[in-house]
Amino acid sequence: MEKFDKLTGVAAPMNMINVDTDMIIPKNFLKTIKRSGLGRNLFDEMRFDRDGNENPDFVLNKPAYRKAQIIVAGDNFGCGSSREHAPWALLDFGIRCVISTSFADIFYNNCFKNGILPIKVSKEDLDNLMDDAERGANATLSIDLENQTIEGPDGGTVTFGIDAFKKHLLLNGLDDVGLTLQKADKVDSFEDKQKASQPWIAGAATV
Amino acid sequence: MSSPKTLFDKIWENHLVDVQDDGTCLLYIDRHLVHEVTSPQAFEGLKNAGRKVRRPDLTLAVPDHNVPTTDRTKTIENEEGRIQVETLQKNCKEFGVPLFDLQDIRQGVVHIIGPEQGFTLPGTTTVCGDSHTATHGAFGSLAFGIGTSEVEHVLATQTLLQSPLKNMRITVEGALPEACTAKDLVLALIGKIGTAGGTGYVIEFTGQAIRDLSMEGRMTVCNMTIEGGARAGLIAPDQTTFDYLMGRPMSPKAGAWEQAVEFWKTLPSDEGAVYDKEVTLDVSEIVPQVTWGTSPEDVAPITGNVPYPADFADPGKQQAAQASLDYMGLKAGMAMQEVVIDTVFIGSCTNGRIEDIRAAAEVAKGRKVADGVRALVVPGSGLVKEQAEEEGLDKILVESGFEWRDPGCSMCLAMNDDRLEPGQRCASTSNRNFKGRQGFGGRTHLVSPAMAAAAAVSGHLADVRDL
């Protein structure tokens, strides 16, 4: 996983609530067995018409936002399914950061596994950042994860909160499977204890 | 004496392997369900790192999202879908994971087969790379959806890194009126709390209306908890739960069974346990519910009308409502019962169980599917299908003009060939009415199985109580 420390990039405004994972990556693109290559279908049904022509009104098709690395969006971003294809598609397109007032829990967790930083801000801060993002060519935000700040084009700064462990993993690009495997002895002793107290848990699945 | 605990607190504490200094918990996972869409990249990750599946005996796999619902003997025509199913078969073989394959009568929607087999048990933790894992909470199992990276983490370590969740209690009072079901209950609830109302919480459902539900009904309620934003829904296990589980193939066997039941009886929340949030809903006056928009919170009674965007206080919601009406091709103010449909889908992890098929057949009996309406019934599993056929429900439905299909996720998310064409409108027993969910440009109205059957025979959204 690529680490995330600082990012300065164009922020695209998506001023709508409940951007769901079906919008981010429609189900016809979930048939892949790979993580890569989903960027071309990010927001597919909003970005393209049925013949594959670009919808000029969609934000990521506008010249100023074609290389956006940040999305600023309304409440409850990423609601719906657990598909990690949603952050994979965002990342493959080049999006490294999403800013909203709230995120659906599973999507929020999935972002951290893929080097994407989801930032929760207050309604007031979101309104200001949305105004910043609507400036087209000047819609540049600078994110500093270490210091937990977002700097706008006019130099105004917003601070944000984040779980310390998630921040640590992201700053260092760490694979948490490897970290957990270091605790194998604790898992072993948990299993021994459970086997004694709830013997019906083990051995259930057979064909 | 320790302080009173909630059902959630008990399960959580019982599964803690480690707590880091920053509060992050390493949680043991007792049950891992796997399907073909969200697992290939996880198995690939294991392979690349030279890792094994730690506990294949706690892992159960089934193909469901892509599978055809007609003629199982043929190969899947869509190449990518076929490759996904074949990849699951190959991975299960290589890693020793038990698999209910396409030809197996036990194959079905992943959240139907877990409970059906007795794999889902009270007091356990259950995960799956699918948001509707919440379904298993009906048994008092802490069950939630995870992403593919987390699937890989569970396969390799049988644990998950999690931050503690908050407790919400929703007390559902009153008795459900006639013709109202668990689906109407949960739609009414999401209409009340909104699709982000449960974000960050585990919801425990209590109250008379919940206790009165069958296991099938409880599963419908917990299934849609995720549409209310919560990771998981929970219902305390009781005699209804034990009766459902006894004798199922993977349930505890005699000897262990008594010990298990004794343990399960200690799980319900203690008197005086504190919740971070409380919500109360009285369902004694509700009428059958339908959705009008493109978010599950866009709910109206079947006796009601399509709302005006100006009815909503929040500007964001006004904008979303207008976009919904445009997409759905509906006029504000029109009666819900004037909405003409051309497709009906009965099935899914929300409403694909035997009770749901019975409810649909009861309405269909002696009636005909309206002209121009295509109506699919997709049982949730091969065993549900078999039981329905033993009860003669398939004959009733087919005589009425419904199509009787093989089990799978089907038109709930339209990854196989069962999908809406642009502009088509469906009364559906599934869980999401998102734009394009059932097919590009398709329009979805979420309803109960009885209401779906009523729409099928009427040709428009209809009040099942009037039939």
Side-chain angles (χ1 to χ4, degrees), chain B residues 241-312:
Chain B
T241 321
F242 310 149
D243 290 346
Y244 178 97
L245 286 172
M246 197 162 80
R248 296 198 176 254
M250 296 180 186
S251 287
K253 301 286 177 291
W257 173 258
E258 290 73 19
Q259 193 190 348
V261 171
E262 279 314 303
F263 172 68
W264 296 341
K265 284 180 178 170
T266 68
L267 292 169
S269 297
D270 299 329
E271 188 85 21
V274 178
Y275 294 82
D276 301 291
K277 192 172 175 182
E278 297 254 15
V279 173
T280 303
L281 177 76
D282 186 338
V283 291
S284 56
E285 305 282 322
I286 69 167
V287 300
Q289 304 281 305
V290 292
T291 61
W292 53 267
T294 57
S295 170
E297 69 192 18
D298 299 338
V299 172
I302 185 62
T303 49
N305 300 72
V306 176
Y308 290 86
D311 294 346
F312 299 94

Side-chain angles (χ1 to χ4, degrees), chain A:
Chain A
M1 185 179 90
E2 198 181 334
K3 65 180 184 181
F4 188 113
D5 44 17
K6 288 192 171 119
L7 170 71
T8 296
V10 172
M14 287 190 76
N15 198 359
M16 57 191 288
I17 61 169
N18 297 334
V19 174
D20 62 63
T21 52
D22 280 75
M23 290 183 201
I24 299 171
I25 186 80
K27 73 254 161 198
N28 29 326
F29 307 108
L30 304 187
K31 292 178 189 285
T32 177
I33 57 169
K34 301 195 179 315
R35 284 178 165 91
S36 55
L38 288 163
R40 77 178 80 100
N41 302 110
L42 177 71
F43 296 116
D44 195 82
E45 291 178 6
M46 297 155 101
R47 239 166 101 200
F48 305 106
D49 67 18
R50 283 225 90 184
D51 301 321
N53 303 309
E54 284 190 5
N55 164 16
D57 296 330
F58 184 67
V59 62
L60 296 179
N61 289 333
K62 293 178 181 171
Y65 298 108
R66 297 184 78 91
K67 291 201 163 26
Q69 291 177 281
I70 301 163
I71 287 175
V72 182
D75 302 347
N76 200 27
F77 190 92
C79 61
S81 99
S82 67
R83 60 187 70 162
E84 200 161 318
H85 308 69
W88 294 336
L90 288 164
L91 186 68
D92 196 57
F93 181 89
I95 303 292
R96 294 294 310 279
C97 174
V98 184
I99 304 171
S100 176
T101 48
S102 64
F103 294 88
D105 288 334
I106 304 177
F107 175 83
Y108 186 76
N109 281 336
N110 282 343
C111 283
F112 286 97
K113 313 288 182 189
N114 292 283
I116 296 174
L117 173 63
I119 302 179
K120 288 183 219 174
V121 296
S122 69
K123 180 86 183 85
E124 192 189 346
D125 285 340
L126 187 85
D127 289 345
N128 291 331
L129 291 165
M130 193 70 78
D131 287 345
D132 290 340
E134 275 162 2
R135 295 184 191 191
N138 293 322
T140 301
L141 299 179
S142 293
I143 318 283
D144 180 341
L145 176 56
E146 179 66 49
N147 293 307
Q148 299 178 209
T149 57
I150 309 168
E151 197 182 318
D154 299 332
T157 299
V158 170
T159 57
F160 59 88
I162 187 167
D163 174 85
F165 183 62
K166 287 188 164 79
K167 176 179 169 179
H168 169 72
L169 292 178
L170 206 49
L171 277 173
N172 297 288
L174 294 174
D175 160 18
D176 54 7
V177 177
L179 288 179
T180 300
L181 284 171
Q182 291 171 8
K183 297 181 179 170
D185 54 334
K186 289 191 175 176
V187 181
D188 290 343
S189 64
F190 179 93
E191 286 178 339
D192 289 343
K193 215 172 61 193
Q194 190 188 56
K195 202 170 178 184
S197 64
Q198 296 175 60
W200 59 87
I201 299 291
T206 49
V207 170

Side-chain angles (χ1 to χ4, degrees), chain B residues 306-325:
Chain B
V306 176
Y308 290 86
D311 294 346
F312 299 94
D314 176 63
K317 188 63 203 170
Q318 287 177 2
Q319 201 185 354
Q322 186 58 55
S324 279
L325 294 186

Side-chain angles (χ1 to χ4, degrees), chain B residues 59 61 81 226 232 266 373:
Chain B
T59 313
I226 184 73
T266 68
V373 173

